[in-house]
Amino acid sequence: PNFNISENLVSNICEAYYKTCQYSREELASYSKAVRSQEGTLQFQNMAPDQLWGLCAEKITEAIQHVVEFAKHSNAFMSFDQHDQIILLKTGCLEVVLVRMARAFNITNQTVLFDEKYTPIETFRSLGCDDLISGMFEMAKSIAELNLTEDQIALFSFAVLITGDRPGLWESNRLNKLQSVVLGSLQEMFHKTHSDPPDILTKLVMNMLNLRNLSRLHSKYFLYFKHHFVNVSLPPLYKELFFVDENQPPQHFA
Ligand code: 4D8
């Protein structure tokens, strides 16, 4: 198929996104009054790291499941072979979660929605991976500051998902072309909402590189935690996505 009929493409991506975004903007805003108290934050800070890691893995996995659904609802994504779909989800799902994190990030008080409450970065201190967590918060903040509309978040997260240069892909060229079409539509949208469209697009493209670095950093910590906290039971999907074992066929995407 070719993707020149970009109007259909765009509306299908947005629809897929609206079906799977978990919280509407209104819901997120209504949560914003629920800010975790200092005592509440301390409770997490004093938690055993393995316990907090397990909890974070659970939450991230839930968010990832919605990203998998997002991909499945997109005709363009589904037009690729399952082989490529799996690589794209494995390498890109955390990046898409981080794009989605920007919507659940409150710039005014630098908090993120976690376990029903907006909570500061200190909540995650006991994990002992400050560089990863602060990188994630920085990323959420820098995307949130761009004031994207929901349609724009939909297109941007889709562009991240269909990155064509992940190792092992069969259809890199077609993915790259599709990504250009999506980014082109995104820039067109910026003409209606932003004063300097090329500038916003440049910022987003820079964020894409940064997202990739964060995803790598997360994978490193994953292997480290998995090795050190052998007793934590993790969601199967989380293990499958981030535990690099070439001999293990994927099972939990269904
Ligand atoms: O829509 O699923 O409800 C964050 C996780 C977001 C990490 C989730 C999280 C999200 C990253 C839990 C732990 C982003 C939403 C809620 C849970 C993404 C931190 C906060 C989803 C958007 C906000 C709202 C800790 C949802 C950064 C990371 C720790 C590691 C050990 C990797």
Side-chain angles (χ1 to χ4, degrees):
N2 72 61
F3 296 107
N4 292 332
I5 334 110
S6 54
E7 203 177 297
N8 248 326
L9 172 71
V10 168
S11 63
N12 175 252
I13 293 169
C14 294
E15 241 172 75
Y17 172 79
Y18 285 114
K19 281 185 188 141
T20 58
C21 68
Q22 279 163 285
Y23 301 107
S24 66
R25 281 265 161 114
E26 292 74 35
E27 283 172 289
L28 288 169
S30 72
Y31 267 115
S32 72
K33 283 164 215 115
V35 179
R36 195 176 312 282
S37 66
Q38 236 169 351
E39 303 83 75
T41 304
L42 261 174
Q43 263 171 28
F44 284 105
Q45 252 176 282
N46 295 331
M47 224 168 165
D50 56 343
Q51 217 186 329
L52 183 57
W53 179 49
L55 185 62
C56 287
E58 228 172 80
K59 301 285 174 195
I60 291 177
T61 305
E62 260 173 53
I64 288 173
Q65 277 165 335
H66 290 268
V67 173
V68 173
E69 284 308 306
F70 168 58
K72 282 186 177 173
H73 277 89
S74 146
N75 298 332
F77 182 87
M78 292 310 282
S79 78
F80 291 91
D81 190 279
Q82 201 182 347
H83 170 270
D84 280 6
Q85 293 178 16
I86 287 167
I87 292 176
L88 293 175
L89 281 168
K90 257 197 138 169
T91 50
C93 66
L94 189 84
E95 297 179 24
V96 177
V97 167
L98 294 178
V99 174
R100 288 175 168 219
M101 177 178 171
R103 308 166 70 235
F105 186 79
N106 183 330
I107 302 186
T108 336
N109 58 10
Q110 313 271 321
T111 55
V112 69
L113 185 61
F114 171 71
D115 200 31
E116 313 264 281
K117 290 215 168 68
Y118 274 85
T119 196
I121 192 163
E122 289 76 34
T123 312
F124 306 103
R125 191 144 289 164
S126 83
L127 287 169
C129 53
D130 289 355
D131 52 345
L132 174 64
I133 306 295
S134 58
M136 286 173 158
F137 270 66
E138 281 296 315
M139 172 57 62
K141 181 172 171 244
S142 91
I143 297 175
E145 279 170 349
L146 300 177
N147 277 316
L148 305 186
T149 65
E150 286 290 270
D151 284 356
Q152 289 163 355
I153 295 269
L155 287 200
F156 179 52
S157 54
F158 191 75
V160 169
L161 182 66
I162 53 154
T163 296
D165 63 352
R166 314 281 194 194
L169 288 170
W170 287 346
E171 288 198 86
S172 287
N173 285 338
R174 193 157 73 90
L175 285 161
N176 287 335
K177 276 184 208 144
L178 177 59
Q179 195 186 47
S180 314
V181 173
V182 172
L183 290 176
S185 308
L186 192 54
Q187 178 152 7
E188 246 169 66
M189 279 185 187
F190 288 142
H191 282 285
K192 294 189 187 128
T193 54
H194 292 73
S195 55
D196 193 351
D199 177 56
I200 301 281
L201 203 69
T202 307
K203 284 181 177 152
L204 286 181
V205 171
M206 284 184 336
N207 277 330
M208 286 167 96
L209 298 177
N210 218 342
L211 282 166
R212 205 186 277 235
N213 293 331
L214 282 175
S215 164
R216 289 215 188 94
L217 193 56
H218 167 264
S219 296
K220 276 192 206 152
Y221 274 111
F222 172 84
L223 292 178
Y224 171 82
F225 286 150
K226 180 130 172 53
H227 184 73
H228 282 264
F229 307 135
V230 277
N231 294 325
V232 181
S233 89
L234 294 168
L237 177 63
Y238 190 72
K239 272 192 288 194
E240 179 186 315
L241 285 169
F242 301 112
F243 188 60
V244 259
D245 180 359
E246 305 291 309
N247 302 317
Q248 203 62 41
Q251 287 165 335
H252 299 280
F253 280 122

